[in-house]
Amino acid sequence: MKKLLSLCLVVALLFTFTACVPKVEKPATPSNVKASDTGLITWDAVEGAIGYVVTINNREFSVTTNSYQVSSVTEDFTYSIVAVGKDYAMSDPTETFTFKGKGFTPPGPDLSGVTVGISGGSEVKSGQTLQLTATVNGADNKAVTWSVTSGQDYISVDANGLVTAQEVTGDVVVTVEARSVANSEKFATKTLTVVAMPHLTQAMLDKLNVRKMAFDGFIDIDVYTIGLFPTLETTYSVTIRTMLDGEHWYAEYENSAGGTAALYTANNNGVASSVTLSFNNDEEYVAITDDAGNELAWADSGYVNCLAGLTVEDFTFNEDTWRYEYNGDDALAEKVITSINPYDFVVDGFSLLINGDNIEGIRAVSGDDYTVVTGYRSIQELVVYVSVEDEQTVIEVPTINKYSHEDKHDLLNQAIANMKALDSYTLDFKEIVASVYTSDLTESGFVETVTADNYHFVPYEVSYLADYTEVHTPKPEEGYGYHKVSDALYNTYHISDGSFLASRAFAGDISAAKPSFDFAAEIFRQVYTDEETGETIFYVADEMSGVATTFYNCVGNDLALYGIFATRGYTSETSSFTPYVVVKDGYITKACFYFNMGLMYGVVELKYSDFNQTQVPADVNFDGYEVRQIPTSWDQLTLQVSDDFSETGEDVEVNAAEYWKYYFGDENVQVPFFGEALGDTFGFGLTTLYNANDGSNIKRAIVLYYDVPLDIDYTISTSLDAVRKFLVSQGFEKDQYGAYVKGDVHIAPVDKDLDLQIYVWTETPPVIE
């Protein structure tokens, strides 16, 4: 146990944003706060306010208007608003609201290197054949090896991809694989259904008139290039599982990080509401709204059995596909797919899967979808199998349950309160990292001194003496941190040649950048007390491992990843641990967690000390420091351009606002200032070429790079969706290729390997002579 305790792990990405200290003549608190189901937050304008600070998921963003676009249905978020008056005087914050959407875009495929796709249909009739075709991209050798990975008793596939089906009396699901000869690690799978000649009766439909149902299945996704001659780029699948009982709806889905997550929805006083359990052990109900922003009634939602009451007349038999296809109301078809599928889906009807005297499932093929993979067209095929509760089958829909309080939690709850109340302390962060590419371990860390006005980080190297004594060698010349400018403004900074230089500016109180310790003791379920040391160790429940993100906060995304990927760590075949904290003398003195990022994994150890006695190092001096303010317009930013805007034709740095006027040929052009959605995250901008929709529409454009934080699911979805919603709020409309258009201004926000890039262009750029 003592050896395990030396492996301390702690991470903090989620910040606690506290209310700012009020000043004289502070503005009024924003009122009439609303959020649509598209993520547009609005409130009444506050008299005398020069801007607002919107706190989204414990991150602060500055805006100058009384609206803000946040993450879409792909993410849960909390939000509150503070008005900013003259001299950065801050109003009292609004209450904290919670929003949760209902739809998710399926995770994208790996399009790097060799890719394999399979085309040619997804159903083969009983006793007949189906020709499949494999497409290999990224390799000169286009050959593949075909095989049947499931259902060998029902089909065979030859070397040319010809599938031959046996005679069947009911539908059978099988899977074939095409594996690249050039790179055997790259392959595609395709799920096929061997279709038997069905016959639909009312008695079969009546069996679906139940309260409890479960759906298990998959979505096959074909990804195509866009252009005059589109080609199949790849084929991949995601699994889904949903359950409902009339009062609750539950779904499991694959997130973009490759893990499995869950959604909970419930009937809350007649309103369809998302249900979450926070690290503070609070069950939260958030009303789901319709397109008009009205609360969605549970009876009108897709979270109940939408198959009940259907008749034979609602279906038409398709002689070509041997399927009974729904011919009724499009709205009901959308509800049926909503009850089955947690992902976004362009609904285009559905059909029944019939086996003998039973309806086994539902099949649906989407319309063209340009949102699954940016720059590609996707087609989704949904196949799910339905289970109904009867005498032989019991269905229990999972619901969120709060963790119970026990006497052992009192000690930790008091320690949490004490940590939050501290004015100063020292944090020692040490990482022990391993990689699949080497057997060596890498150890390093930093010491952070947290005081009222500065959070200063000093990195250190780790080495060992001959007797294995551990030595930490600080590198003060590489220091960095957070610096308080006022009650409503703080900067990140770094040291260069002995000078302290501002990096970014943030609205709000600097306390937002401290480790939040924003969790309840009750989510820690196992406790061990070391009588010899007087320490008590609390281990968190597995599903709450993300609490490690509250143990520390750092500058930038790199170290933050460790907390995002916190999980159970194994010290042997029989022993393991989840993220934990150590309590002694009323404080959290240590924390520890294991993280696994696939190719890289390791342990983080944290130690807290010098409570209310810490001071920043003596060489931390802000004399002559130039404060960074939050940019509010293009006039304050520059672009690097390489066209005839410069007299020499070489790259030149120009004022962004002036360049927009030149590029668009319009003195009054209005290019949205993305800082309203992203805060002070602008990196740089360059002239470039952009494929606006297909290979025949290459445009001279400007690409803007933004240094945005990672979400806890290892995406930039929050930032990407914030930009999209911001554009909609500015009057832009989305076209079929995912770009946003208003007049002659075209904008495409893109996730490029976790870098947020925003392309801006016009159909009539200036001519280079």
Side-chain angles (χ1 to χ4, degrees):
M1 177 58 68
K2 291 182 180 179
K3 181 178 181 180
L4 177 59
L5 292 178
S6 69
L7 301 176
C8 310
L9 268 181
V10 180
V11 182
L13 285 179
L14 305 178
F15 312 149
T16 298
F17 292 90
T18 60
C20 300
V21 178
K23 289 185 176 182
V24 178
E25 300 181 359
K26 68 181 181 181
T29 300
S31 59
N32 197 26
V33 180
K34 299 178 181 179
S36 72
D37 65 338
T38 61
L40 175 63
I41 300 176
T42 60
W43 58 92
D44 292 343
V46 175
E47 183 178 356
I50 62 173
Y52 304 88
V53 177
V54 183
T55 301
I56 306 294
N57 276 353
N58 297 325
R59 296 190 181 98
E60 293 182 340
F61 301 92
S62 298
V63 297
T64 57
T65 61
N66 58 318
S67 66
Y68 183 73
Q69 287 290 159
V70 293
S71 54
S72 69
V73 293
T74 58
E75 296 292 337
D76 304 337
F77 61 86
T78 58
Y79 62 98
S80 61
I81 300 97
V82 170
V84 183
K86 184 179 179 182
D87 296 326
Y88 289 105
M90 308 289 281
S91 75
D92 292 330
T94 64
E95 68 176 283
T96 299
F97 302 90
T98 304
F99 178 94
K100 186 173 184 299
K102 64 177 182 178
F104 292 81
T105 300
D110 179 9
L111 296 180
S112 61
V114 177
T115 61
V116 183
I118 302 176
S119 60
S122 58
E123 296 187 330
V124 54
K125 295 177 182 177
S126 173
Q128 299 187 22
T129 61
L130 173 69
Q131 181 64 59
L132 299 178
T133 301
T135 303
V136 177
N137 298 290
D140 293 334
N141 188 344
K142 307 297 184 181
V144 298
T145 301
W146 290 95
S147 63
V148 179
T149 56
S150 69
Q152 292 88 345
D153 292 339
Y154 303 101
I155 66 166
S156 61
V157 59
D158 67 14
N160 298 313
L162 182 67
V163 177
T164 300
Q166 303 296 319
E167 296 282 351
V168 296
T169 58
D171 290 358
V172 178
V173 174
V174 298
T175 306
V176 297
E177 175 187 281
R179 187 173 292 271
S180 169
V181 173
N183 184 344
S184 61
E185 294 184 356
K186 295 301 182 76
F187 63 92
T189 60
K190 191 171 186 65
T191 303
L192 306 176
T193 303
V194 181
V195 182
M197 175 67 79
H199 179 65
L200 179 63
T201 66
Q202 188 59 48
M204 295 162 62
L205 288 167
D206 290 343
K207 293 179 182 179
L208 301 179
N209 296 336
V210 297
R211 187 169 60 90
K212 293 185 177 183
M213 306 182 76
F215 302 93
D216 291 272
F218 57 88
I219 302 176
D220 276 343
I221 304 174
D222 292 332
V223 181
Y224 297 88
T225 59
I226 300 174
L228 294 176
F229 304 100
T231 60
L232 178 64
E233 185 70 22
T234 190
T235 302
Y236 70 107
S237 300
V238 294
T239 60
I240 56 175
R241 185 165 201 251
T242 55
M243 304 174 71
L244 54 87
D245 63 8
E247 293 295 317
H248 305 89
W249 180 84
Y250 169 81
E252 293 178 0
Y253 67 96
E254 296 180 23
N255 59 30
S256 57
T260 300
L263 297 174
Y264 300 87
T265 303
N267 179 3
N268 184 34
N269 298 321
V271 177
S273 302
S274 299
V275 189
T276 61
L277 187 65
S278 69
F279 292 149
N280 281 309
N281 201 32
D282 293 324
E283 188 177 88
E284 300 172 337
Y285 291 88
V286 183
I288 298 170
T289 57
D290 59 22
D291 293 339
N294 301 313
E295 292 183 347
L296 181 63
W298 181 255
D300 298 331
S301 71
Y303 303 117
V304 295
N305 178 9
C306 299
L307 298 171
L310 292 174
T311 66
V312 173
E313 289 72 26
D314 291 321
F315 296 87
T316 301
F317 184 70
N318 187 319
E319 296 286 351
D320 294 328
T321 63
W322 288 5
R323 290 295 185 205
Y324 282 91
E325 298 175 346
Y326 178 68
N327 58 29
D329 181 42
D330 290 342
L332 179 60
E334 291 186 4
K335 289 182 180 179
V336 169
I337 301 304
T338 296
S339 68
I340 293 171
N341 177 24
Y343 297 112
D344 289 337
F345 195 90
V346 181
V347 179
D348 189 21
F350 67 92
S351 60
L352 303 177
L353 304 180
I354 297 176
N355 189 352
D357 294 331
N358 294 298
I359 296 173
E360 281 203 332
I362 302 293
R363 176 181 180 270
V365 178
S366 76
D368 290 345
D369 192 327
Y370 295 89
T371 63
V372 176
V373 184
T374 302
Y376 294 83
R377 176 177 64 90
S378 299
I379 298 293
Q380 302 184 52
E381 181 180 355
L382 167 72
V383 176
V384 296
Y385 291 86
V386 59
S387 301
V388 299
E389 183 168 85
D390 52 28
E391 294 180 356
Q392 289 77 36
T393 305
V394 176
I395 295 176
E396 291 295 335
V397 180
T399 58
I400 287 182
N401 294 312
K402 297 177 66 173
Y403 293 100
S404 61
H405 176 81
E406 302 175 18
D407 291 344
K408 63 186 180 183
H409 293 123
D410 293 338
L411 180 67
L412 180 54
N413 272 326
Q414 184 59 58
I416 296 169
N418 291 342
M419 296 302 292
K420 292 181 177 180
L422 287 171
D423 294 324
S424 68
Y425 58 87
T426 299
L427 166 62
D428 187 312
F429 175 104
K430 177 186 172 184
E431 57 178 297
I432 307 170
V433 181
S435 168
V436 297
Y437 297 115
T438 178
S439 59
D440 296 331
L441 295 177
T442 301
E443 299 184 46
S444 61
F446 63 77
V447 172
E448 178 188 6
T449 50
V450 177
T451 62
D453 297 332
N454 298 290
Y455 307 157
H456 186 69
F457 296 72
V458 177
Y460 61 74
E461 296 178 344
V462 178
S463 59
Y464 292 88
L465 301 178
D467 61 356
Y468 300 105
T469 299
E470 185 172 323
V471 178
H472 292 183
T473 304
K475 298 185 288 184
E477 71 281 0
E478 298 181 12
Y480 57 92
Y482 294 92
H483 173 60
K484 178 179 178 179
V485 177
S486 68
D487 289 342
L489 180 69
Y490 63 98
N491 289 174
T492 54
Y493 65 85
H494 62 281
I495 299 175
S496 177
D497 296 328
S499 298
F500 287 68
L501 305 178
S503 305
R504 296 289 184 193
F506 301 86
D509 192 280
I510 191 174
S511 60
K514 284 198 300 187
S516 69
F517 301 105
D518 192 19
F519 55 85
E522 286 74 16
I523 69 173
F524 289 77
R525 304 312 298 170
Q526 292 186 323
V527 180
Y528 168 80
T529 299
D530 189 325
E531 300 293 345
E532 182 179 342
T533 64
E535 297 175 326
T536 302
I537 304 95
F538 294 83
Y539 299 87
V540 77
D542 279 276
E543 56 269 25
M544 290 292 180
S545 291
V547 74
T549 59
T550 69
F551 298 162
Y552 73 95
N553 180 44
C554 52
V555 178
N557 284 328
D558 293 344
L559 297 182
L561 289 174
Y562 300 157
I564 290 176
F565 288 96
T567 186
R568 177 177 289 273
Y570 290 83
T571 57
S572 71
E573 293 182 357
T574 58
S575 63
S576 61
F577 66 101
T578 58
Y580 65 86
V581 295
V582 178
V583 174
K584 184 178 181 180
D585 299 329
Y587 291 98
I588 295 175
T589 58
K590 301 175 185 177
C592 178
F593 64 88
Y594 169 81
F595 65 89
N596 191 332
M597 298 165 58
L599 299 179
M600 187 169 69
Y601 53 94
V603 170
V604 173
E605 301 178 353
L606 299 108
K607 299 178 182 179
Y608 309 90
S609 61
D610 301 331
F611 303 123
N612 282 336
Q613 298 179 358
T614 294
Q615 295 182 348
V616 295
D619 58 352
V620 175
N621 189 335
F622 288 91
D623 291 342
Y625 177 80
E626 294 186 14
V627 172
R628 182 182 177 93
Q629 301 290 340
I630 299 174
T632 57
S633 72
W634 290 114
D635 278 319
Q636 298 170 279
L637 302 177
T638 61
L639 304 174
Q640 196 77 17
V641 303
S642 56
D643 55 29
D644 60 341
F645 187 80
S646 67
E647 295 180 358
T648 63
E650 299 178 353
D651 287 0
V652 61
E653 187 175 14
V654 300
N655 178 268
E658 292 301 315
Y659 188 76
W660 294 134
K661 297 176 184 177
Y662 161 77
Y663 175 78
F664 286 97
D666 182 358
E667 287 289 321
N668 299 313
V669 66
Q670 297 293 319
V671 177
F673 184 67
F674 300 107
E676 293 188 35
L678 300 174
D680 183 16
T681 59
F682 178 76
F684 55 92
L686 303 171
T687 49
T688 187
L689 296 177
Y690 181 65
N691 181 2
N693 48 43
D694 58 40
S696 64
N697 193 21
I698 304 297
K699 297 296 182 182
R700 289 175 55 206
I702 298 89
V703 58
L704 310 171
Y705 292 79
Y706 284 85
D707 182 21
V708 298
L710 289 174
D711 295 338
I712 196 169
D713 64 350
Y714 193 46
T715 70
I716 57 170
S717 296
T718 297
S719 299
L720 195 61
D721 291 336
V723 172
R724 292 166 177 163
K725 297 310 188 300
F726 172 64
L727 289 170
V728 172
S729 73
Q730 300 299 303
F732 283 76
E733 295 183 356
K734 188 177 181 181
D735 68 14
Q736 62 177 323
Y737 300 106
Y740 293 79
V741 182
K742 181 180 179 182
D744 196 29
V745 181
H746 298 247
I747 297 173
V750 175
D751 176 358
K752 183 64 173 176
D753 299 326
L754 297 180
D755 288 329
L756 177 55
Q757 301 176 9
I758 301 177
Y759 291 87
V760 181
W761 74 92
T762 173
E763 294 294 327
T764 56
V767 177
I768 300 178
E769 299 179 356

